[in-house]
Amino acid sequence: MTDKKYLIGSFLSVRRWFQLIFLGITLAIGIQFTWFVFHLEQGVVPDFNRPPGVEAFLPISALVSLKHTLSTWTINDIHPSGLVIFLIVCATALVVKKGFCSWVCPFGLFSEILAKLHFRLFHRTLTLPKWIDTSLRSLKYFLAGFFIYYIFYKMPLPAIEQFIHSPYNRFADIQMLAFFTDISPLAFKVMVGLMVLSFVIPYFWCRYLCPYGAVLSVLGFLSIGHIHRDPDLCTKCGKCENHCPGLIQIRQKQQIRSPECSACLSCVAVCPEKNAIRFSLPPVRSSFRHALPGIVIAVLFVAGIAAARLSGNWHNSISKQAYLAHVTRPPSVQTGGHPEIDVEKMKKMIQAMKARRAQTAPFIEMKGE
């Protein structure tokens, strides 16, 4: 029993360390970018560079850039790191399925925390009826499909290039930050609602709404890494299914190809029979099984970012002066709209024009006579 508890702790603690490390990197990027924008808002050009990693939070821009790259075989210099990070994440799905969701994604970590709180409060996991679960799962594929269809099939190349170089896209990272620092009441209510739903129904966002996860689920079908179950060693105790966040019916399969599999290794950790369930990735030895998905993801990130840096496709071409000009100019000009109209001033102008017209009217009539 002691050995088994140690094994479970080894699996889960290794993954948790990967999650915390990537969370720390994400927070560091967010703090640096917030400090960068703070300097701009004070009218000061920062003496440090904007962190390119912030573009990981611009998936729409990354999709548009991917369409542009596939059409021109060039990488645009507006948000190149956003495209690089998106391609790296997609590459992870071809090796370790949706491992990004359970080993890297901060939202995945937050969903896990809410799921644990749910279990501690209710001592069971609430699951929806199968027909409702299946219907809701289609939402994330619909959302992902909508963006992919609109960008790749409805937007011609001139529209793609116009979007890439538009003020909206050029400074989308600043607008993204403003969404969180100056969040609207409606957006705040939506976020709280999603948080509550993710607590009541564990992994609600990840399972039903995340379009990023939907893309990785589809790519995961091509993954060379899989969870395998040995029917000769399996006792069908059901522990693997009880601990699977994807609610996958593991005991009915020898190789798990479900789009909901995130290679979290929870099923491997709780299995009481040695090697009855394992994650295999040829030609890697099984001795790395505790951290294999995390190691693969980390290697792909390091290699991808290094290649982007060496090829000059990591930092964007937007100068700090351009950022400063955008931040310090009026909001109406930033979005390309019209300056806001002061109604009271307009009324006074109209009244002044009427008074002036009334004063000059007699002179015009006399001249006409």
Side-chain angles (χ1 to χ4, degrees), residues 314-328:
W314 184 241
H315 292 274
N316 67 16
S317 62
I318 304 174
S319 66
K320 296 177 184 178
Q321 287 73 19
Y323 274 107
L324 179 63
H326 174 80
V327 170
T328 56

Side-chain angles (χ1 to χ4, degrees), residues 29 52-59 62 81-83 85-86 89 176 212 301:
I29 291 173
V54 73
E55 295 177 16
F57 293 92
L58 305 176
S81 57
L83 174 60
I85 293 172
F86 179 75
V89 174
M176 179 268 298
Y212 219 132
F301 264 95

Side-chain angles (χ1 to χ4, degrees), residues 79 166-176 318 322-323 326:
H79 292 306
S166 67
Y168 175 84
N169 182 61
R170 283 167 59 86
F171 305 103
D173 45 5
I174 293 181
Q175 298 174 49
M176 179 268 298
I318 304 174
Y323 274 107
H326 174 80

Side-chain angles (χ1 to χ4, degrees), residues 77-189:
D77 56 3
I78 301 302
H79 292 306
S81 57
L83 174 60
V84 170
I85 293 172
F86 179 75
L87 292 176
I88 293 173
V89 174
C90 290
T92 66
L94 299 177
V95 185
V96 292
K97 300 181 74 66
K98 284 174 56 179
F100 174 85
C101 300
S102 60
W103 289 79
V104 175
C105 181
F107 297 105
L109 174 60
F110 187 61
S111 294
E112 281 190 38
I113 295 173
L114 291 177
K116 289 183 180 296
L117 293 175
H118 170 99
F119 187 80
R120 288 187 178 182
L121 181 63
F122 299 107
H123 302 290
R124 61 187 297 270
T125 300
L126 175 64
T127 57
L128 299 176
K130 187 174 181 179
W131 67 274
I132 297 180
D133 176 72
T134 303
S135 300
L136 289 177
R137 268 193 290 159
S138 64
L139 290 176
K140 64 184 178 185
Y141 296 103
F142 174 79
L143 290 172
F146 170 79
F147 289 116
I148 292 174
Y149 172 77
Y150 187 82
I151 292 173
F152 283 85
Y153 294 96
K154 298 295 289 184
M155 291 183 69
L157 183 58
I160 290 289
E161 293 178 338
Q162 183 178 3
F163 175 85
I164 289 174
H165 296 281
S166 67
Y168 175 84
N169 182 61
R170 283 167 59 86
F171 305 103
D173 45 5
I174 293 181
Q175 298 174 49
M176 179 268 298
L177 177 63
F179 174 84
F180 293 100
T181 57
D182 190 22
I183 189 169
S184 67
L186 177 60
F188 180 76
K189 291 177 183 178

Side-chain angles (χ1 to χ4, degrees), residues 3 11 28 31 45 102 112 138 222 269 275 279 296 368:
D3 293 341
F11 271 96
I31 292 172
V45 176
S102 60
E112 281 190 38
S138 64
L222 304 175
N275 294 328
F279 181 82
V296 169

